[in-house]
C-alpha cells in the first residue's frame, strides 16, 4: 500500500479515536465534564496521539531504511564481472533500481503481467523489449544477471511494503485500543498529552543539530575517500587548480580560496558602509512614515533570487566596467582610454553586485541592533549637551558595535557561500592575481562544476567537491560561531 494511503488511514483512525475517546470519557462521567480529571479534549487527544504517532514513526523509519537494507543485500549479489563493466558497484546497482522501477511501470501499464515481471519467468530479450515500450531503454551493459537481481529486488521491495503496511496498521490499532482502554474519568489524560507534546518539542529542538551532524558526516566520508586518492598537502597548499578527468589533475585549493576571499572583501566594502548608514538613518533620523516606506523597499532587495543578481552582473555591471576599464567600443581604448580589463566577468563585477545583494542583510540586522540600545543612554547623552550626531557617534554606535560586528561576520558567511552570482559574474578561472579586474572563481562555483556531468563518482576530480564543501563548511561554521559569540556578549550587557 502506498505511503499516502497509509497516512490517510492513520489520519482517519486518529480522528475517529479522538471523537470516540472524548465521548467515552464524557459517558463515564455521566455527561458532566466536571467529574473528569482533565478536559474532554485531552482524552480525545490522548487517543489520537497513541493511534497516529507511533505508527507514523514506524512508517518513517521503515521508509528511510528499507531501501538501504535492500541495496546492501541486492548489490552484494552482483558478480565481479558485472561490476567491472560498470566501473563501480553503485553504477551497476543504479541500473538494477531503474529496471525494477520499469518492471513496476510495465505491470501498471499492462505491458507485463505480474507473473512475467518476476524471477525470470520470461525471456530476457522479451522483457527488455517490453520495458522499451514504456520508455525504459536498457543499455548495452545490461545483461540477464542484472535483470535477475532487479526482479529479486522488486520482489523483496514488494514484500517489505506488505510487511510495512501490516505492522503500521497493527501498531496504530494496538495504540488506539490501548488508549481507549485507559479512557476513564480518573485517568490523567492531560499529563499524558503534555508529556507527549514535550517529547515532540524536544525532537523538534534536536532536528537542527541532527541535520548539521548528518550534513557533516556525508561530507567527511567522501572527503576521507578523496584524501585516500589525492595528497592532502597538494590540495591545501597547491597553487594551481587544473582538474582533468583524463588524469594528471592539479587540485590546489589556494586559488579558489583567494578568489572567494577577494570577492567577499569587495562585497563587504560595498555592503557594510551603505547598509550601516541606512540602518543609522532609519533608526535615528527617519520619521515613522519614512521608515514604514523605506525599510520595506530596502528589504525588497533580499527577496530577489541570487541568479537575477548574477544576470544583472553579467549583462549590466560587467559591460559597464568593461567600457570604463577595458578596450570599450572605441578603437583607441575604453571610456577613459584604459586597457586594464579584457572580460566582463571579473572579481570587481561579482564583488560589487554581491555587495548590493548584502545591503538589506547588513541594514536589517544593524537596524535591529541599534534599536536595542536603551533609550536611556541617548537621553543621558542629550541631557549632557551632546548633539544628536555626537550621541550616535560616541554613545549609540560604541554600545551597538559588538552586535554590528556580528552582523558583518554573518554577512561575510553569506558572501562566502554564494554560488550563482559568482558563476555569472566572476568567471570560472582559478587564478592567483592581485588585480580585481581579472576573472577568478570561488569554492562554491567549483563545487557545482565538479559535480556536473557524468564523470566517475569514485574519481578524485568528483570527490574533490566534497573536500571543498568540508573546507567551506569549516570556514562558515567558524564565522557563524564567532558572530554568535559576539552577539551573545552584546545582548548580555542590557539583559
Amino acid at each position: 500500500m502506498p505511503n499516502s494511503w497509509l497516512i490517510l488511514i492513520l489520519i482517519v483512525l486518529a480522528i475517529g479515536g479522538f471523537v470516540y475517546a472524548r465521548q467515552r470519557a464524557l459517558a463515564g462521567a455521566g455527561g458532566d465534564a466536571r467529574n473528569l480529571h482533565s478536559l474532554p479534549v485531552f482524552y480525545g487527544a490522548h487517543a489520537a496521539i497513541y493511534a497516529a504517532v507511533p505508527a507514523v514513526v514506524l512508517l518513517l523509519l521503515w521508509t528511510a531504511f528499507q531501501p538501504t537494507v535492500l541495496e546492501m543485500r541486492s548489490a552484494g549479489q552482483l558478480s565481479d564481472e558485472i561490476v567491472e563493466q560498470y566501473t563501480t558497484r553503485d553504477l551497476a546497482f543504479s541500473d538494477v533500481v531503474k529496471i525494477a522501477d520499469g518492471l513496476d511501470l510495465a505491470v501498471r501499464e499492462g505491458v507485463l503481467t505480474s507473473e512475467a515481471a518476476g524471477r525470470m519467468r520470461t525471456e530476457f530479450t522479451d522483457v527488455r523489449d517490453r520495458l522499451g515500450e514504456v520508455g525504459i531503454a536498457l543499455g548495452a551493459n545490461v545483461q540477464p544477471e542484472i535483470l535477475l537481481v532487479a526482479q529479486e529486488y522488486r520482489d523483496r521491495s514488494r514484500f517489505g511494503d506488505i510487511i510495512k503496511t501490516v505492522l503500521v496498521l497493527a501498531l496504530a490499532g494496538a495504540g488506539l485500543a490501548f488508549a481507549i482502554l485507559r479512557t476513564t474519568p480518573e485517568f490523567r489524560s492531560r499529563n499524558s498529552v503534555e508529556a507527549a507534546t514535550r517529547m515532540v518539542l524536544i525532537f523538534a529542538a534536536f532536528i537542527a543539530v541532527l541535520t548539521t551532524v548528518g550534513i557533516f558526516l556525508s561530507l567527511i566520508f567522501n572527503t576521507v575517500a578523496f584524501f585516500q586518492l589525492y595528497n592532502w598537502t597538494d590540495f591545501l597548499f597547491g597553487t594551481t587548480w587544473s582538474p582533468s578527468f583524463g588524469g594528471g589533475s592539479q587540485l590546489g585549493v589556494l586559488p579558489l580560496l583567494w578568489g572567494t576571499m577577494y570577492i567577499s572583501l569587495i562585497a563587504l566594502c560595498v555592503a557594510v558602509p551603505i547598509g550601516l548608514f541606512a540602518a543609522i538613518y532609519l533608526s535615528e533620523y527617519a520619521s515613522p512614515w519614512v521608515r514604514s516606506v523605506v525599510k520595506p523597499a530596502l528589504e525588497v532587495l533580499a527577496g530577489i533570487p541570487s541568479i537575477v543578481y548574477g544576470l544583472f552582473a553579467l549583462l549590466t555591471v560587467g559591460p559597464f566596467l568593461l567600457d570604463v576599464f577595458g578596450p570599450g567600443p572605441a578603437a583607441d581604448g575604453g571610456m577613459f582610454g584604459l586597457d586594464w580589463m579584457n572580460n566582463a566577468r571579473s572579481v570587481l563585477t561579482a564583488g560589487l553586485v554581491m555587495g548590493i545583494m548584502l545591503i538589506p542583510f547588513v541594514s536589517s540586522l544593524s537596524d535591529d541592533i541599534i534599536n536595542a540600545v536603551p533609550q536611556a543612554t541617548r537621553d543621558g547623552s542629550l541631557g549632557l549637551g551632546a548633539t544628536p550626531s555626537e550621541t550616535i557617534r560616541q554613545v549609540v554606535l560604541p554600545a551597538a558595535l559588538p552586535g554590528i560586528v556580528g552582523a558583518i561576520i554573518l554577512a561575510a558567511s553569506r558572501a562566502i557561500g554564494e554560488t550563482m552570482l559568482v558563476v555569472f559574474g566572476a568567471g570560472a578561472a582559478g587564478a592567483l592575481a592581485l588585480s580585481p579586474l581579472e576573472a577568478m572563481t570561488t569554492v562554491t562555483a567549483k563545487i557545482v562544476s565538479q559535480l556536473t556531468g557524468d564523470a566517475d563518482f569514485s574519481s578524485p576530480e568528483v570527490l574533490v567537491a566534497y573536500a571543498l564543501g568540508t573546507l567551506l563548511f569549516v570556514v562558515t561554521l567558524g564565522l557563524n560561531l564567532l558572530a554568535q559569540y559576539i552577539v551573545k556578549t552584546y545582548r548580555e550587557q542590557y539583559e
Side-chain angles (χ1 to χ4, degrees), residues 99 102-103 106 111-113 115-117 120-134 136 138 144 147 151:
I99 295 173
L103 291 172
V111 176
L112 280 174
T113 63
E115 293 77 11
M120 291 293 289
R121 293 195 175 101
T122 311
E123 291 293 333
F124 170 71
T125 54
D126 186 27
V127 174
R128 182 170 56 188
D129 295 340
R130 298 292 182 89
L131 290 178
E133 295 180 20
V134 294
I136 306 297
L138 304 185
L147 176 60
Q151 290 170 322

Side-chain angles (χ1 to χ4, degrees), residues 139-150:
N141 288 339
V142 176
Q143 298 182 10
E145 179 184 341
I146 294 288
L147 176 60
L148 178 61
V149 175

Side-chain angles (χ1 to χ4, degrees), residues 249-440:
S249 296
Q250 292 180 284
L251 304 175
V253 75
L254 288 182
L256 307 186
L257 282 177
W258 172 248
T260 301
M261 298 305 173
Y262 205 168
I263 293 173
S264 300
L265 178 62
I266 294 176
L268 292 177
C269 289
V270 174
V272 171
I274 298 176
L276 184 57
F277 291 160
I280 293 173
Y281 170 74
L282 291 175
S283 61
E284 301 296 326
Y285 291 103
S287 65
W289 182 86
V290 172
R291 179 182 174 85
S292 66
V293 174
V294 174
K295 188 173 177 64
L298 182 64
E299 292 182 347
V300 166
L301 293 173
I304 301 176
S306 62
I307 192 171
V308 176
Y309 281 107
L311 292 174
F312 174 65
L314 180 63
L315 302 178
T316 304
V317 177
F320 172 75
L321 293 177
L322 190 61
D323 285 342
V324 174
F325 298 105
D332 58 346
M335 186 181 301
F336 298 103
L338 305 175
D339 192 8
W340 297 346
M341 190 174 179
N342 298 318
N343 196 317
R345 290 189 171 112
S346 67
V347 172
L348 186 60
T349 302
L352 290 176
V353 179
M354 188 182 295
I356 296 173
M357 185 181 70
L358 293 178
I359 287 174
F361 191 82
V362 176
S363 174
S364 180
L365 287 176
S366 299
D367 179 51
D368 294 338
I369 292 164
I370 293 173
N371 282 324
V373 176
Q375 183 63 31
T377 60
R378 297 178 175 84
D379 295 340
S381 176
L382 295 173
L384 292 174
T387 64
S389 61
E390 290 173 340
T391 299
I392 294 172
R393 292 197 314 270
Q394 300 178 13
V395 177
V396 176
L397 287 183
L401 186 60
I404 293 173
V405 172
I408 294 172
I409 295 176
L410 290 175
S413 298
R414 172 70 188 277
I416 290 172
E418 180 56 43
T419 302
M420 294 309 301
L421 193 157
V422 175
V423 171
F424 283 95
L432 287 169
L434 292 177
S435 173
L437 303 178
E438 296 289 336
M440 297 184 196

Side-chain angles (χ1 to χ4, degrees), residues 15-96:
I15 295 174
F18 178 90
V19 174
Y20 180 75
R22 185 177 182 277
Q23 293 176 348
R24 178 184 173 91
L26 286 172
D32 189 355
R34 290 176 297 179
N35 296 328
L36 296 173
H37 172 273
S38 307
L39 292 175
V41 68
F42 285 109
Y43 291 92
H46 174 259
I49 289 172
Y50 271 82
V53 174
V56 169
V57 172
L58 176 62
L59 177 62
L60 294 176
L61 292 176
W62 196 287
T63 303
F65 288 104
Q66 176 178 303
T68 302
V69 174
L70 294 179
E71 178 179 352
M72 292 175 59
R73 184 167 182 180
S74 297
Q77 294 179 309
L78 297 172
S79 65
D80 294 338
E81 291 78 8
I82 292 295
V83 173
E84 289 180 2
Q85 293 181 13
Y86 282 88
T87 307
T88 65
R89 194 173 297 273
D90 290 337
L91 292 176
F93 186 75
S94 65
D95 260 0
V96 170

